[in-house]
PDB file of all heavy atoms in Angstrom:
ATOM      1  N   LEU A 106       4.398   6.213 -23.531  1.00  0.00           N
ATOM      2  CA  LEU A 106       4.369   7.340 -24.461  1.00  0.00           C
ATOM      3  C   LEU A 106       5.370   7.177 -25.603  1.00  0.00           C
ATOM      4  O   LEU A 106       5.106   7.598 -26.726  1.00  0.00           O
ATOM      5  CB  LEU A 106       4.616   8.647 -23.707  1.00  0.00           C
ATOM      6  CG  LEU A 106       3.505   9.037 -22.720  1.00  0.00           C
ATOM      7  CD1 LEU A 106       3.805  10.379 -22.071  1.00  0.00           C
ATOM      8  CD2 LEU A 106       2.139   9.075 -23.411  1.00  0.00           C
ATOM      9  N   VAL A 116      -0.333  -5.138 -14.538  1.00  0.00           N
ATOM     10  CA  VAL A 116      -0.313  -6.412 -13.809  1.00  0.00           C
ATOM     11  C   VAL A 116       0.694  -6.310 -12.655  1.00  0.00           C
ATOM     12  O   VAL A 116       1.838  -6.741 -12.766  1.00  0.00           O
ATOM     13  CB  VAL A 116       0.039  -7.584 -14.744  1.00  0.00           C
ATOM     14  CG1 VAL A 116      -0.154  -8.919 -14.011  1.00  0.00           C
ATOM     15  CG2 VAL A 116      -0.817  -7.556 -16.008  1.00  0.00           C
ATOM     16  N   CYS A 188       2.334 -18.974  -3.703  1.00  0.00           N
ATOM     17  CA  CYS A 188       2.653 -17.682  -4.299  1.00  0.00           C
ATOM     18  C   CYS A 188       1.530 -16.707  -3.954  1.00  0.00           C
ATOM     19  O   CYS A 188       0.467 -17.094  -3.480  1.00  0.00           O
ATOM     20  CB  CYS A 188       2.813 -17.800  -5.809  1.00  0.00           C
ATOM     21  SG  CYS A 188       1.317 -18.337  -6.680  1.00  0.00           S
ATOM     22  N   TYR A 221      -5.924 -19.634  -7.384  1.00  0.00           N
ATOM     23  CA  TYR A 221      -7.215 -20.044  -7.928  1.00  0.00           C
ATOM     24  C   TYR A 221      -7.254 -19.819  -9.438  1.00  0.00           C
ATOM     25  O   TYR A 221      -6.803 -18.776  -9.940  1.00  0.00           O
ATOM     26  CB  TYR A 221      -8.349 -19.231  -7.294  1.00  0.00           C
ATOM     27  CG  TYR A 221      -8.736 -19.636  -5.892  1.00  0.00           C
ATOM     28  CD1 TYR A 221      -7.940 -20.492  -5.123  1.00  0.00           C
ATOM     29  CD2 TYR A 221      -9.913 -19.165  -5.320  1.00  0.00           C
ATOM     30  CE1 TYR A 221      -8.299 -20.839  -3.842  1.00  0.00           C
ATOM     31  CE2 TYR A 221     -10.283 -19.510  -4.030  1.00  0.00           C
ATOM     32  CZ  TYR A 221      -9.475 -20.351  -3.287  1.00  0.00           C
ATOM     33  OH  TYR A 221      -9.836 -20.691  -2.015  1.00  0.00           O
ATOM     34  N   ALA A 290      -9.289  12.280   6.477  1.00  0.00           N
ATOM     35  CA  ALA A 290      -9.359  10.895   6.947  1.00  0.00           C
ATOM     36  C   ALA A 290     -10.128  10.807   8.253  1.00  0.00           C
ATOM     37  O   ALA A 290     -10.964   9.912   8.442  1.00  0.00           O
ATOM     38  CB  ALA A 290      -7.957  10.327   7.117  1.00  0.00           C
ATOM     39  N   GLY A 371     -13.567   4.422  11.914  1.00  0.00           N
ATOM     40  CA  GLY A 371     -12.753   3.702  10.945  1.00  0.00           C
ATOM     41  C   GLY A 371     -11.443   3.148  11.468  1.00  0.00           C
ATOM     42  O   GLY A 371     -11.023   3.428  12.600  1.00  0.00           O
ATOM     43  N   ASP A 545       3.007  13.522   4.698  1.00  0.00           N
ATOM     44  CA  ASP A 545       1.620  13.983   4.660  1.00  0.00           C
ATOM     45  C   ASP A 545       1.226  14.489   3.280  1.00  0.00           C
ATOM     46  O   ASP A 545       0.036  14.657   2.988  1.00  0.00           O
ATOM     47  CB  ASP A 545       1.365  15.057   5.722  1.00  0.00           C
ATOM     48  CG  ASP A 545       2.194  16.309   5.518  1.00  0.00           C
ATOM     49  OD1 ASP A 545       3.401  16.181   5.267  1.00  0.00           O
ATOM     50  OD2 ASP A 545       1.646  17.423   5.615  1.00  0.00           O
TER      51      ASP A 545
END
Side-chain angles (χ1 to χ4, degrees):
L106 294 183
V116 189
C188 62
Y221 283 13
D545 62 314

